[in-house]
Amino acid sequence: MAPLLQVKDLTVRFDTADGTVQAVSGVSYDLAPGETLAVVGESGSGKSVHVLAMLGLIPKPPGRIAGGQALFEGRDLLAMSERELRSLRGGAIGMIFQDPMSALNPVLSVGYQITESLRTHMKLSKKAAMARAVELLDLVGISEPQRRVVHYPHQFSGGMRQRAMIAIGIACEPRLLIADEPTTALDVTVQAQILDLVRRLRKQLGMAMIWITHDMGVVAGIADTVQVMYGGRVQERGPARQVFRDTRSAYTWGLLQSLPDHDAPPSAGVASARRLVQIPGYPPDMMNPPPGDPFAPRNPFATERCHSEVPPLVQAPGASPGHMVAAWYDLRTARAGAAA
Ligand SMILES: Nc1ncnc2c1ncn2[C@@H]1O[C@H](COP(=O)(O)OP(=O)(O)OP(=O)(O)O)[C@@H](O)[C@H]1O
Ligand SMILES: [Mg+2]
């Protein structure tokens, strides 16, 4: 099956008064239609910037696409005009962001905000769009949608606003839904409900997803594939199960070790309790990243080469097909050596 999205060597920089931030460096991956990719990593690892850059949503300047391609259904998003991008965003590519209070317009009713995208992208009449907005609110589990549709964001609870954001994100039945920490601000019960909802919608609509999260429980609950980022680079990527069971990157291993009960692989539906805690050391200064593997200074298994040369992302030896790692060390031997 032809990929829906092909990211090739995506590189993003921010030129600031203090220097150039190397936010995203050489990120490449394919996403198949219907596939869910979870992107994880500590704060500042380039998760948000890499998707915002594809959507044409980083401020330029200081932001700049320093290289690469992002082919969505064969067309390069990075080479598109603002007009072309606008017609994709909210249409074929839906988006849900972390903070619905800032993403929703406080002076427009929720219904109006849903109908806006239906009218722009699907050319629905005002009446048809309003009927569809009510259906969508119902679909995302908002009770009395008929009455709620005319309410303003401040009349909604946090969980309801997040549901409204999802309704906007999926309104035009996108082929790709990009979600950036959409459940982080919600309590565990609401998070679980939202994840259930998203799983159901994904099945119903057959959409692919890129899901950015700090939460390994969320990853285990929804991801086909997981991609671990650090210092603007991909450290490891593969089928979610394989990455949890046959971890090959010391950084991924550190993330999993730092989970409350790391003996069992993260399981579906267990949110929040598995939020990542700190790995010893500090994330790299992205204006002056280390010359080699960005994780090397914090990696107990780093070899000399890790400190001087960036490892390419390659098929992990002996791992399942598509399980990739960027490492000069072999985690299995290193861990066995450390245990001995
Ligand atoms: N407008 C900007 N100007 C300068 N630097 C920026 C800008 N936006 C992002 N960056 C930098 O780009 C890097 C990647 O940031 P990004 O927001 O992608 O991290 P993230 O992985 O999404 O983190 P978080 O988990 O905290 O959301 C960081 O070093 C960040 O400081
Ligand atoms: Mg982010």
Side-chain angles (χ1 to χ4, degrees):
M1 201 174 351
L4 180 71
L5 177 70
Q6 276 181 293
V7 184
K8 296 182 183 177
D9 216 21
L10 176 61
T11 301
V12 187
R13 301 285 180 255
F14 290 95
D15 298 311
T16 73
D18 298 326
T20 298
V21 181
Q22 303 187 22
V24 174
S25 299
V27 168
S28 301
Y29 60 88
D30 285 2
L31 185 74
E35 179 179 352
T36 297
L37 171 73
V39 180
V40 298
E42 284 170 311
S43 191
S45 56
K47 304 182 300 293
S48 298
V49 167
H50 109 274
V51 293
L52 292 172
M54 291 196 269
L55 296 168
L57 293 175
I58 54 164
K60 295 183 200 170
R64 145 172 80 88
I65 310 280
Q69 286 185 311
L71 305 176
F72 178 73
E73 300 179 330
R75 294 162 64 215
D76 188 6
L77 299 169
L78 305 181
M80 280 184 194
S81 66
E82 176 51 31
R83 193 157 162 256
E84 287 173 290
L85 280 170
R86 217 177 302 140
S87 82
L88 279 178
R89 288 194 305 251
I93 304 181
M95 301 170 294
I96 314 173
F97 293 115
Q98 179 169 10
D99 176 9
M101 210 45 198
S102 62
L104 292 171
N105 188 331
V107 300
L108 298 173
S109 74
V110 169
Y112 182 87
Q113 297 184 60
I114 302 174
T115 58
E116 218 176 7
S117 83
L118 290 168
R119 299 193 65 194
T120 321
H121 296 285
M122 304 190 74
K123 309 277 179 256
L124 295 189
S125 70
K126 212 170 172 176
K127 201 173 155 201
M130 197 44 106
R132 178 70 184 143
V134 172
E135 269 174 36
L136 282 161
L137 288 182
D138 188 43
L139 190 67
V140 298
I142 289 180
S143 57
E144 299 183 83
Q146 200 68 256
R147 188 169 69 82
R148 292 288 189 182
V149 78
V150 296
H151 284 183
Y152 289 82
H154 73 265
Q155 294 172 284
F156 276 38
S157 68
M160 279 166 63
R161 280 198 288 269
Q162 201 64 46
R163 285 164 197 264
M165 283 285 294
I166 295 176
I168 296 172
I170 61 162
C172 299
E173 305 194 353
R175 296 188 284 289
L176 171 61
L177 181 68
I178 296 181
D180 192 350
E181 311 249 13
T183 60
T184 307
L186 303 172
D187 71 56
V188 182
T189 322
V190 182
Q191 263 190 41
Q193 288 170 356
I194 300 274
L195 286 183
D196 269 348
L197 166 68
V198 167
R199 273 192 290 255
R200 194 153 41 79
L201 292 172
R202 172 179 63 180
K203 211 163 159 190
Q204 228 166 316
L205 304 174
M207 64 193 176
M209 300 200 296
I210 299 176
W211 199 274
I212 297 174
T213 182
H214 277 97
D215 194 319
M216 286 294 191
V218 170
V219 175
I222 61 168
D224 300 310
T225 309
V226 54
Q227 169 160 304
V228 182
M229 289 183 68
Y230 187 82
R233 298 179 184 277
V234 178
Q235 289 279 337
E236 180 164 11
R237 177 176 62 247
R241 251 168 193 282
Q242 298 304 325
V243 171
F244 289 140
R245 296 211 172 142
D246 184 19
T247 307
R248 297 306 183 95
S249 157
Y251 179 57
T252 315
W253 189 66
L255 290 180
L256 293 171
Q257 288 295 107
S258 66
L259 295 174
D261 51 350
H262 59 79
D263 289 339
S267 58
V270 185
S272 209
R274 293 174 179 278
R275 207 164 286 277
L276 307 182
V277 298
Q278 207 52 43
I279 296 174
Y282 297 97
D285 169 8
M286 294 316 289
M287 277 191 212
N288 293 295
D293 178 342
F295 188 60
R298 294 167 77 184
N299 180 2
F301 308 123
T303 64
E304 217 164 289
R305 200 176 183 185
C306 300
H307 291 284
S308 58
E309 207 180 322
V310 176
L313 185 72
V314 295
Q315 169 68 38
S320 344
H323 186 171
M324 320 276 285
V325 67
W328 291 125
Y329 52 87
D330 183 323
L331 188 66
R332 296 167 303 173
T333 358
R335 279 175 57 192

